[in-house]
mmCIF file of all heavy atoms in Angstrom:
data_model
loop_
_atom_site.group_PDB
_atom_site.id
_atom_site.type_symbol
_atom_site.label_atom_id
_atom_site.label_comp_id
_atom_site.label_asym_id
_atom_site.label_seq_id
_atom_site.Cartn_x
_atom_site.Cartn_y
_atom_site.Cartn_z
ATOM 1 N N SER A 17 101.757 100.093 102.391
ATOM 2 C CA SER A 17 101.115 99.377 101.300
ATOM 3 C C SER A 17 99.609 99.455 101.454
ATOM 4 O O SER A 17 99.090 99.788 102.514
ATOM 5 C CB SER A 17 101.577 97.922 101.248
ATOM 6 O OG SER A 17 101.228 97.235 102.439
ATOM 7 N N GLY A 18 98.935 99.136 100.392
ATOM 8 C CA GLY A 18 97.497 99.234 100.383
ATOM 9 C C GLY A 18 97.041 100.393 99.526
ATOM 10 O O GLY A 18 97.799 100.923 98.713
ATOM 11 N N SER A 19 95.832 100.791 99.737
ATOM 12 C CA SER A 19 95.240 101.847 98.938
ATOM 13 C C SER A 19 95.553 103.212 99.543
ATOM 14 O O SER A 19 95.053 103.559 100.612
ATOM 15 C CB SER A 19 93.731 101.651 98.833
ATOM 16 O OG SER A 19 93.139 102.658 98.048
ATOM 17 N N ILE A 20 96.388 103.956 98.852
ATOM 18 C CA ILE A 20 96.720 105.320 99.262
ATOM 19 C C ILE A 20 96.544 106.210 98.037
ATOM 20 O O ILE A 20 97.474 106.386 97.247
ATOM 21 C CB ILE A 20 98.147 105.436 99.811
ATOM 22 C CG1 ILE A 20 98.422 104.376 100.864
ATOM 23 C CG2 ILE A 20 98.367 106.831 100.388
ATOM 24 C CD1 ILE A 20 99.834 104.392 101.391
ATOM 25 N N SER A 21 95.391 106.763 97.887
ATOM 26 C CA SER A 21 95.072 107.525 96.689
ATOM 27 C C SER A 21 95.142 109.033 96.881
ATOM 28 O O SER A 21 95.173 109.778 95.907
ATOM 29 C CB SER A 21 93.681 107.148 96.178
ATOM 30 O OG SER A 21 92.689 107.407 97.150
ATOM 31 N N SER A 22 95.161 109.490 98.112
ATOM 32 C CA SER A 22 95.212 110.914 98.392
ATOM 33 C C SER A 22 96.592 111.308 98.880
ATOM 34 O O SER A 22 97.363 110.451 99.321
ATOM 35 C CB SER A 22 94.147 111.292 99.420
ATOM 36 O OG SER A 22 94.347 110.591 100.631
ATOM 37 N N PRO A 23 96.920 112.576 98.809
ATOM 38 C CA PRO A 23 98.219 113.010 99.346
ATOM 39 C C PRO A 23 98.367 112.618 100.811
ATOM 40 O O PRO A 23 97.398 112.666 101.579
ATOM 41 C CB PRO A 23 98.172 114.531 99.179
ATOM 42 C CG PRO A 23 97.230 114.757 98.045
ATOM 43 C CD PRO A 23 96.182 113.692 98.211
ATOM 44 N N TYR A 24 99.554 112.246 101.185
ATOM 45 C CA TYR A 24 99.775 111.810 102.549
ATOM 46 C C TYR A 24 101.154 112.211 103.030
ATOM 47 O O TYR A 24 102.092 112.340 102.246
ATOM 48 C CB TYR A 24 99.601 110.293 102.668
ATOM 49 C CG TYR A 24 100.549 109.484 101.804
ATOM 50 C CD1 TYR A 24 101.752 109.015 102.314
ATOM 51 C CD2 TYR A 24 100.232 109.182 100.482
ATOM 52 C CE1 TYR A 24 102.621 108.276 101.525
ATOM 53 C CE2 TYR A 24 101.094 108.446 99.687
ATOM 54 C CZ TYR A 24 102.286 107.996 100.213
ATOM 55 O OH TYR A 24 103.143 107.255 99.422
ATOM 56 N N SER A 25 101.243 112.398 104.307
ATOM 57 C CA SER A 25 102.515 112.646 104.943
ATOM 58 C C SER A 25 102.998 111.367 105.607
ATOM 59 O O SER A 25 102.215 110.463 105.905
ATOM 60 C CB SER A 25 102.405 113.767 105.979
ATOM 61 O OG SER A 25 101.540 113.393 107.038
ATOM 62 N N MET A 26 104.287 111.305 105.834
ATOM 63 C CA MET A 26 104.868 110.171 106.526
ATOM 64 C C MET A 26 105.803 110.707 107.592
ATOM 65 O O MET A 26 106.374 111.787 107.450
ATOM 66 C CB MET A 26 105.623 109.251 105.563
ATOM 67 C CG MET A 26 104.779 108.747 104.403
ATOM 68 S SD MET A 26 105.636 107.541 103.344
ATOM 69 C CE MET A 26 105.506 106.063 104.373
ATOM 70 N N GLY A 27 105.940 109.948 108.642
ATOM 71 C CA GLY A 27 106.790 110.432 109.706
ATOM 72 C C GLY A 27 107.197 109.356 110.675
ATOM 73 O O GLY A 27 106.770 108.203 110.579
ATOM 74 N N TRP A 28 108.046 109.770 111.582
ATOM 75 C CA TRP A 28 108.554 108.888 112.612
ATOM 76 C C TRP A 28 108.282 109.474 113.982
ATOM 77 O O TRP A 28 108.497 110.675 114.216
ATOM 78 C CB TRP A 28 110.062 108.665 112.451
ATOM 79 C CG TRP A 28 110.424 107.902 111.222
ATOM 80 C CD1 TRP A 28 110.766 108.407 110.005
ATOM 81 C CD2 TRP A 28 110.473 106.478 111.097
ATOM 82 N NE1 TRP A 28 111.034 107.390 109.124
ATOM 83 C CE2 TRP A 28 110.860 106.198 109.765
ATOM 84 C CE3 TRP A 28 110.235 105.423 111.969
ATOM 85 C CZ2 TRP A 28 111.011 104.890 109.295
ATOM 86 C CZ3 TRP A 28 110.377 104.126 111.499
ATOM 87 C CH2 TRP A 28 110.764 103.873 110.185
ATOM 88 N N TYR A 29 107.813 108.635 114.854
ATOM 89 C CA TYR A 29 107.615 108.962 116.251
ATOM 90 C C TYR A 29 108.345 107.923 117.080
ATOM 91 O O TYR A 29 108.644 106.831 116.597
ATOM 92 C CB TYR A 29 106.125 108.976 116.607
ATOM 93 C CG TYR A 29 105.336 110.064 115.912
ATOM 94 C CD1 TYR A 29 105.038 109.974 114.558
ATOM 95 C CD2 TYR A 29 104.889 111.177 116.622
ATOM 96 C CE1 TYR A 29 104.316 110.970 113.918
ATOM 97 C CE2 TYR A 29 104.163 112.175 115.994
ATOM 98 C CZ TYR A 29 103.883 112.064 114.645
ATOM 99 O OH TYR A 29 103.158 113.065 114.023
ATOM 100 N N ARG A 30 108.631 108.259 118.314
ATOM 101 C CA ARG A 30 109.308 107.297 119.170
ATOM 102 C C ARG A 30 108.761 107.369 120.582
ATOM 103 O O ARG A 30 108.239 108.394 121.021
ATOM 104 C CB ARG A 30 110.819 107.533 119.171
ATOM 105 C CG ARG A 30 111.259 108.844 119.810
ATOM 106 C CD ARG A 30 112.750 109.045 119.616
ATOM 107 N NE ARG A 30 113.227 110.265 120.251
ATOM 108 C CZ ARG A 30 114.456 110.740 120.127
ATOM 109 N NH1 ARG A 30 115.353 110.099 119.374
ATOM 110 N NH2 ARG A 30 114.807 111.858 120.750
ATOM 111 N N GLN A 31 108.906 106.272 121.273
ATOM 112 C CA GLN A 31 108.437 106.190 122.644
ATOM 113 C C GLN A 31 109.395 105.343 123.462
ATOM 114 O O GLN A 31 109.631 104.177 123.149
ATOM 115 C CB GLN A 31 107.029 105.602 122.709
ATOM 116 C CG GLN A 31 106.422 105.629 124.096
ATOM 117 C CD GLN A 31 104.942 105.316 124.082
ATOM 118 O OE1 GLN A 31 104.440 104.668 123.160
ATOM 119 N NE2 GLN A 31 104.237 105.786 125.086
ATOM 120 N N ALA A 32 109.937 105.946 124.484
ATOM 121 C CA ALA A 32 110.790 105.237 125.422
ATOM 122 C C ALA A 32 109.937 104.717 126.567
ATOM 123 O O ALA A 32 108.870 105.264 126.856
ATOM 124 C CB ALA A 32 111.885 106.163 125.949
ATOM 125 N N PRO A 33 110.391 103.660 127.233
ATOM 126 C CA PRO A 33 109.614 103.116 128.357
ATOM 127 C C PRO A 33 109.307 104.179 129.403
ATOM 128 O O PRO A 33 110.190 104.923 129.825
ATOM 129 C CB PRO A 33 110.530 102.034 128.918
ATOM 130 C CG PRO A 33 111.371 101.613 127.756
ATOM 131 C CD PRO A 33 111.615 102.881 126.984
ATOM 132 N N GLY A 34 108.061 104.250 129.787
ATOM 133 C CA GLY A 34 107.650 105.196 130.802
ATOM 134 C C GLY A 34 107.516 106.625 130.341
ATOM 135 O O GLY A 34 107.245 107.510 131.159
ATOM 136 N N LYS A 35 107.701 106.866 129.065
ATOM 137 C CA LYS A 35 107.614 108.217 128.528
ATOM 138 C C LYS A 35 106.534 108.293 127.458
ATOM 139 O O LYS A 35 106.130 107.286 126.884
ATOM 140 C CB LYS A 35 108.951 108.665 127.949
ATOM 141 C CG LYS A 35 110.093 108.715 128.945
ATOM 142 C CD LYS A 35 111.350 109.284 128.329
ATOM 143 C CE LYS A 35 111.168 110.741 127.949
ATOM 144 N NZ LYS A 35 112.423 111.339 127.399
ATOM 145 N N GLN A 36 106.094 109.493 127.207
ATOM 146 C CA GLN A 36 105.093 109.695 126.178
ATOM 147 C C GLN A 36 105.717 109.615 124.794
ATOM 148 O O GLN A 36 106.917 109.863 124.613
ATOM 149 C CB GLN A 36 104.403 111.043 126.361
ATOM 150 C CG GLN A 36 105.316 112.244 126.226
ATOM 151 C CD GLN A 36 104.604 113.556 126.455
ATOM 152 O OE1 GLN A 36 103.400 113.661 126.255
ATOM 153 N NE2 GLN A 36 105.341 114.573 126.866
ATOM 154 N N ARG A 37 104.896 109.281 123.841
ATOM 155 C CA ARG A 37 105.360 109.244 122.470
ATOM 156 C C ARG A 37 105.653 110.651 121.977
ATOM 157 O O ARG A 37 104.905 111.587 122.263
ATOM 158 C CB ARG A 37 104.303 108.585 121.582
ATOM 159 C CG ARG A 37 104.741 108.376 120.148
ATOM 160 C CD ARG A 37 103.665 107.642 119.361
ATOM 161 N NE ARG A 37 102.444 108.425 119.277
ATOM 162 C CZ ARG A 37 101.310 107.982 118.747
ATOM 163 N NH1 ARG A 37 101.241 106.746 118.264
ATOM 164 N NH2 ARG A 37 100.244 108.758 118.701
ATOM 165 N N GLU A 38 106.723 110.802 121.235
ATOM 166 C CA GLU A 38 107.101 112.105 120.736
ATOM 167 C C GLU A 38 107.407 112.055 119.251
ATOM 168 O O GLU A 38 107.845 111.033 118.715
ATOM 169 C CB GLU A 38 108.319 112.645 121.488
ATOM 170 C CG GLU A 38 109.585 111.825 121.300
ATOM 171 C CD GLU A 38 110.791 112.433 121.992
ATOM 172 O OE1 GLU A 38 110.662 113.542 122.542
ATOM 173 O OE2 GLU A 38 111.865 111.792 121.985
ATOM 174 N N LEU A 39 107.197 113.166 118.620
ATOM 175 C CA LEU A 39 107.507 113.290 117.207
ATOM 176 C C LEU A 39 109.013 113.336 117.014
ATOM 177 O O LEU A 39 109.727 114.002 117.765
ATOM 178 C CB LEU A 39 106.862 114.554 116.635
ATOM 179 C CG LEU A 39 107.095 114.859 115.151
ATOM 180 C CD1 LEU A 39 105.873 115.556 114.573
ATOM 181 C CD2 LEU A 39 108.323 115.745 114.963
ATOM 182 N N VAL A 40 109.480 112.639 116.006
ATOM 183 C CA VAL A 40 110.883 112.686 115.622
ATOM 184 C C VAL A 40 111.046 113.519 114.360
ATOM 185 O O VAL A 40 111.813 114.482 114.325
ATOM 186 C CB VAL A 40 111.456 111.279 115.407
ATOM 187 C CG1 VAL A 40 112.905 111.360 114.942
ATOM 188 C CG2 VAL A 40 111.350 110.451 116.681
ATOM 189 N N ALA A 41 110.332 113.145 113.322
ATOM 190 C CA ALA A 41 110.410 113.864 112.061
ATOM 191 C C ALA A 41 109.224 113.501 111.196
ATOM 192 O O ALA A 41 108.715 112.385 111.259
ATOM 193 C CB ALA A 41 111.710 113.543 111.322
ATOM 194 N N THR A 42 108.787 114.446 110.404
ATOM 195 C CA THR A 42 107.727 114.198 109.443
ATOM 196 C C THR A 42 108.116 114.794 108.103
ATOM 197 O O THR A 42 108.894 115.750 108.028
ATOM 198 C CB THR A 42 106.379 114.789 109.882
ATOM 199 O OG1 THR A 42 106.494 116.210 110.015
ATOM 200 C CG2 THR A 42 105.923 114.194 111.205
ATOM 201 N N ILE A 43 107.557 114.230 107.065
ATOM 202 C CA ILE A 43 107.767 114.750 105.722
ATOM 203 C C ILE A 43 106.437 114.723 105.001
ATOM 204 O O ILE A 43 105.764 113.700 104.931
ATOM 205 C CB ILE A 43 108.858 113.954 104.979
ATOM 206 C CG1 ILE A 43 109.098 114.545 103.586
ATOM 207 C CG2 ILE A 43 108.516 112.469 104.905
ATOM 208 C CD1 ILE A 43 110.384 114.022 102.938
#
């Protein structure tokens, strides 16, 4: 929500305890 006037991508990342954040999926 909020002001989003330009094209944008959305995605999901995940992070398990003690691990680095990783990409799951983007669109």
